[in-house]
Amino acid sequence: MFDKYAGRLYDYTARNRRPVLFILILLIFASLAALYFVEFESSMDNILPDNEVISRSMEFFRSSNLAGKVVISLELTSPDKDIDDLILETDMLAGKLDKDLFPEVTYGIPDSAFAGDMDAMFENLPEMVSDQELSLIDGWINQEYVSRKLSDSYMQLLKPQGLFLNSMLRSDPLGIKMLQLNKLKALSASTGYDVDIKDGHFVSRDGRHAMLIAKSAVSVTDSAGSKKMLVSLQKNIETLPAYIRADIICGHAHTVSNEKLIKRDIVFISIVAAIAMLLLYGFVIRDISAVTIFMIPVVAILFSVDLSYLLLGKLSYWVIGLGSTVAGIATDYGTHVYFAAQGKGDAAPFVKHVIKPVSFGALTPIEIFLAFSFFGFKGYSQLAVVTIISVVLSTFISIYILPHLMLKPGSKVSFADRLAVKLEQGNYSNGLNVLFWLFLTIALAYFAVHVEFERDIRNIDGTEKEIINAEKNFQEIWGGEKTPAVLVINAKNYEEALEINEKIYSDAVQTVGAENFTSVAPLLLSEKTRDENAGRWNKFWSEEREQKLAGLLSQEGKKFGFSENAFDPFFAGLKVADKKNPPSPPFAKGGNIPYARLNSGEVSPPLKKEDVGGLLNNPSSLFERFVQKTDNGYRLMSFFPDTPDYVHSMNEISAKHPGTYLVSATVLSDTLSKVVSSDLKLMTLLASISVIVMTYMCFLNIKETLIALMPPLTSIIWLFGMMTIFGLKINAANMIAGVLAIGLSSDYGIFMTYRSRDKINTGTIMAIALCTVTTLIGAGVLVFAKHPALSSVGMTMVIAVGAGFFSSVMVVPKLYDLTVNVGKGKAQ
């Protein structure tokens, strides 16, 4: 029935050739015009799984104020210059940066702002001291400690800077304020960077480097904006004198580098592949009408983009690129039809003979990509729609329009016809080739089961070596080699976020230790905790304890010349008033924590060495690394080592607190690996079922179906086996390429089985050989691509398509003779 109606449709298009061509040309121009109104997006989120862990990690990276930092490391290259020259140029460079692109720039923090807020923190000291710290203070109230403390203070007062310490000593003779300062120092040291301070500037230990940190107004995922930002920054850097070299460290550089590398690879690949294919078709086919074979997928993609936009709305550039690549297999269908019709006076019988294998060959990738729409990838759904429309249109044009565009054969037999006949007469499939195929397949099957999935997405990152080297150089100078994991708290209000943060900190200290968990919890306390601390403080300073300390200070103070009333300021402010002030978020002056926000575009003045720490990850405030105002409330972040053991422990803690989650490179990589692995298994299962069903529907014969399935089975085994041997891993890019290559191998198996059954000269071997060569040319060039994702796609296509070609041409005919033909002979 299929052959009957397909043949009638072919006859109809043959009789109405001109109207059909006119309609096609009209639709092409209409599609070109409609293309102007199609909208695209460049976000990579479309090709990531729709998974909660992955989605919230990506959202965190986009919205977090950690993501948009740009660090500039400046290095002195001349021995004749010193750090003062470098600091001067750092200041000048900071002032030159575009304020629209870099609203906040820093190499320090205002002394006055920091000092004022430290005073505010010390004024609330009783509310900051915990129960454990009160126990520690209680151990200080003895003659030995007080004597030693006053002795140390006396020696400090004798130094030139002692004048500034006088008031602090009188208000805090025991050094209680140092408990809070030590917390601040621990917090500020958590960034992992190794810095020194020179005249309020970040400098390296060797005194030959300075650091400047800017907050970018451009999102890391904004390719065009990142390019503009880096160009502007590079122009500023070019104004530096010759004795200073600058390295730029930021995520934007990775975005621009990946795009540039992909475009460069695509241009190179397109030129080389186009030249190779033109030469191939020019020397082999030598027919100008063969150009239409390459035009078919172009026209099909044009139609599919417009139709997909109408169905789905805004399309992803990545999806269109992948869809165009997938649609390129349509040249295979055109090639088979072309050689079936080439050189024939009446091409209709030969074209009708290949309609069924071409159609069922096209149905295989259609069913495979239809299955993509059921996966948790938004981009895969788009890819399925684009690809299915492209393949359907390409197949229709190849069968029903291409033959009518071919030139009529002349009296002289063409070179392509002679070559096709010679290939058809060759005996390529013999027992030796089958034994070789069987041995190699069994051997590779052993390795195939050990194929691994890519767990680290950085391994398919196309960042240029210059950027990687700059980052390595930065780590050698400034440290910070290991990116920590983050525990994120999202809450509707600031007070709620602080309460959750305190509970998590308490659990984390018991589980992983305070030294392995960096949090603002010891410094930013909830109102409830502040009230409890204040109450304990008042109870702690009983009249008896107060008199004991006053006596010790009087007794030991006389030894060092302190007056009787020297420490009256301490005792005057000892009790906490009943009225409490709720804590303020670190986003407005007057809060109870250190505040250091710069005005837009303002360069911060120098800071003191003890104030440095955590500012390295944040150009405006230490606490802004840990606290962030969001559209839905507040976000608090704590940091810990990104190792499997710590991640597992913190994940258990996070599970107890709704609204919290982990952001970890380890977790992200593991999740991606699990999702891709799970989807690949399901995709392989669905693809296998689709291929088997379509192949059986094509032949309605079990033996012929099994023979036709040998090429795709060979492709799977050889691909996974050789990937294991060569150390290649499955990733999101080569996974799609592998499915596509297996689909091509399935087509080869169907065509060669048809040829073995009907013994009709439709140029099948010539068509398969030419399709394979063209595919290997395109994929072979990809192998040499600089971008690792494109290179892995090339390797995948070369191995899988090569395996499919070998098994279809060298194995299928012999297997057909040994099984089907032998059975027919016995039956006769």
Side-chain angles (χ1 to χ4, degrees), residues 487-545:
L487 189 146
V488 183
I489 299 172
N490 287 322
K492 293 181 179 180
N493 59 70
Y494 185 58
E495 181 64 22
E496 181 186 353
L498 291 179
E499 291 180 1
I500 298 173
N501 198 37
E502 289 173 350
K503 294 176 182 177
I504 288 178
Y505 180 74
S506 176
D507 291 343
V509 169
Q510 295 179 12
T511 305
V512 301
E515 68 279 6
N516 295 314
F517 191 75
T518 304
S519 171
V520 292
L523 286 170
L524 300 185
L525 305 177
S526 67
E527 185 175 4
K528 178 182 177 182
T529 301
R530 286 159 58 89
D531 289 346
E532 292 174 352
N533 287 345
R536 280 192 297 265
W537 175 275
N538 283 338
K539 291 180 181 179
F540 176 82
W541 289 109
S542 63
E543 184 176 351
E544 180 183 353
R545 185 176 276 116

Side-chain angles (χ1 to χ4, degrees), residues 536-785:
R536 280 192 297 265
W537 175 275
N538 283 338
K539 291 180 181 179
F540 176 82
W541 289 109
S542 63
E543 184 176 351
E544 180 183 353
R545 185 176 276 116
E546 188 175 340
Q547 288 178 354
K548 180 182 178 181
L549 178 61
L552 288 171
L553 289 173
S554 175
Q555 173 187 325
E556 299 301 321
K558 290 178 181 179
K559 299 177 182 180
F560 302 100
F562 290 104
S563 65
E564 285 289 337
N565 61 349
F567 305 108
D568 284 355
F570 171 73
F571 291 102
L574 203 57
K575 294 295 183 179
V576 182
D578 292 334
K579 185 179 180 180
K580 291 92 179 175
N581 296 318
S584 303
F587 299 104
K589 291 186 177 180
N592 68 306
I593 48 84
Y595 172 86
R597 179 173 293 282
L598 305 178
N599 293 326
S600 178
E602 181 181 324
V603 179
S604 62
L607 74 163
K608 295 178 181 178
K609 182 173 181 177
E610 60 267 22
D611 303 339
V612 58
L615 294 170
L616 293 176
N617 263 7
N618 188 342
S620 60
S621 168
L622 165 62
F623 284 86
E624 200 172 8
R625 180 180 183 235
F626 300 88
V627 185
Q628 181 183 0
K629 182 72 175 69
T630 66
D631 293 337
N632 299 318
Y634 285 88
R635 171 182 290 162
L636 266 64
M637 293 162 281
S638 302
F639 301 86
F640 59 94
D642 193 2
T643 63
D645 290 340
Y646 288 123
V647 167
H648 175 72
S649 298
M650 292 310 303
N651 196 43
E652 290 184 345
I653 294 174
S654 175
K656 302 176 185 177
H657 302 277
T660 69
Y661 57 89
L662 304 186
V663 176
S664 156
T666 301
V667 172
L668 185 59
S669 297
D670 288 344
T671 303
L672 275 173
S673 176
K674 290 177 182 176
V675 172
V676 171
S677 173
S678 175
D679 284 350
L680 178 63
K681 292 175 182 177
L682 181 58
M683 189 184 302
T684 303
L685 176 62
L686 292 176
S688 300
I689 294 173
S690 298
V691 169
I692 293 171
V693 171
M694 284 298 101
T695 306
Y696 179 77
M697 292 296 292
C698 185
F699 295 102
L700 297 176
N701 180 287
I702 294 179
K703 285 186 178 180
E704 292 178 344
T705 298
L706 291 176
I707 293 172
L709 289 174
M710 287 300 105
L713 179 62
T714 303
S715 290
I716 295 174
I717 296 174
W718 286 27
L719 174 61
F720 288 173
M722 290 189 180
M723 288 182 75
T724 302
I725 292 173
F726 293 123
L728 301 174
K729 297 181 179 181
I730 298 173
N731 56 55
N734 61 29
M735 183 172 68
I736 297 175
V739 173
L740 173 62
I742 293 167
L744 288 174
S745 299
S746 175
D747 294 347
Y748 296 165
I750 291 174
F751 279 108
M752 286 303 297
T753 305
Y754 252 92
R755 173 187 177 275
S756 301
R757 184 184 70 179
D758 297 336
K759 305 295 183 182
I760 297 178
N761 181 17
T762 56
T764 300
I765 295 181
M766 177 69 170
I768 290 177
L770 203 57
C771 291
T772 302
V773 172
T774 55
T775 302
L776 292 180
I777 288 174
V781 178
L782 275 177
V783 172
F784 301 99

Side-chain angles (χ1 to χ4, degrees), residues 65 86 145 177 179 196 308 376 534 552-553 619 624 713 728 754 785:
N65 47 22
L86 182 59
Y145 180 85
K177 292 179 180 178
L179 293 174
D196 211 337
S308 298
L552 288 171
L553 289 173
E624 200 172 8
L713 179 62
L728 301 174
Y754 252 92

